[in-house]
Amino acid sequence: MSENPVDPNQAVPPPPPPADAQPGGVPADQRQWAMFAHLSAIAGAILTSGVGGWGTFLGPLIIWLVKKDTMPFVDEQGKEALNFNITVALACVALVVLVVVTLGIGVLIAIPAWILIGIAWLVFTIIAAVKANDGVSYRYPFALRLVK
């Protein structure tokens, strides 16, 4: 007599997920465009005037405007990227105003603040891009919600 290799009391493992399953339920093209919305701020900073300049929110604005009606995840993440970069730009402008109003003495506060803002901006932008690529909604911690 041969033994039955399958034990009827042993639980059957669940089948593997389908090959086309997406993390977080977000399609790959939406995850990619959402990642581009975040990373376009870095590209804008490199190509234009740096952190806090108009180039940092131009990329997220264009991607959001083009994709917001057809891709819900890009709509959400594009607004996040746009709001965060507008917030950073406003903070940098406020520091310029501080320097002008104090006749240059405010530069003692502004330069360290610009460095900290720049580092935080880069770190948060990279985190947001990675999360978006994973299909996870990311909310920047210090962003004014101007675009709704």
Side-chain angles (χ1 to χ4, degrees):
M1 236 166 115
S2 75
E3 257 183 58
N4 186 358
V6 177
D7 182 6
N9 296 326
Q10 185 178 359
V12 178
D20 62 345
Q22 306 298 327
V26 180
D29 60 338
Q30 290 192 41
R31 290 185 290 126
Q32 185 176 28
W33 278 106
M35 179 186 67
F36 290 156
H38 293 291
L39 292 179
S40 65
I42 296 174
I46 291 170
L47 295 174
T48 62
S49 59
V51 175
W54 61 271
T56 59
F57 57 86
L58 189 60
L61 175 64
I62 291 170
I63 291 174
W64 176 67
L65 287 174
V66 170
K67 299 293 184 179
K68 70 178 180 170
D69 296 327
T70 58
M71 298 181 168
F73 188 64
V74 179
D75 178 36
E76 173 195 339
Q77 291 301 296
K79 284 189 280 191
E80 276 298 310
L82 184 57
N83 283 328
F84 179 66
N85 285 290
I86 290 172
T87 302
V88 169
L90 289 174
C92 290
V93 168
L95 289 171
V96 169
V97 169
L98 174 70
V99 170
V100 170
V101 167
T102 61
L103 302 175
I105 297 173
V107 78
L108 297 173
I109 295 171
I111 288 177
W114 281 323
I115 292 170
L116 289 175
I117 289 171
I119 292 169
W121 170 81
L122 183 62
V123 168
F124 288 136
T125 301
I126 291 171
I127 290 170
V130 170
K131 294 282 188 183
N133 193 42
D134 291 341
V136 176
S137 293
Y138 182 77
R139 287 187 61 99
Y140 288 96
F142 303 107
L144 300 172
R145 309 287 177 226
L146 301 171
V147 179
K148 299 195 188 245

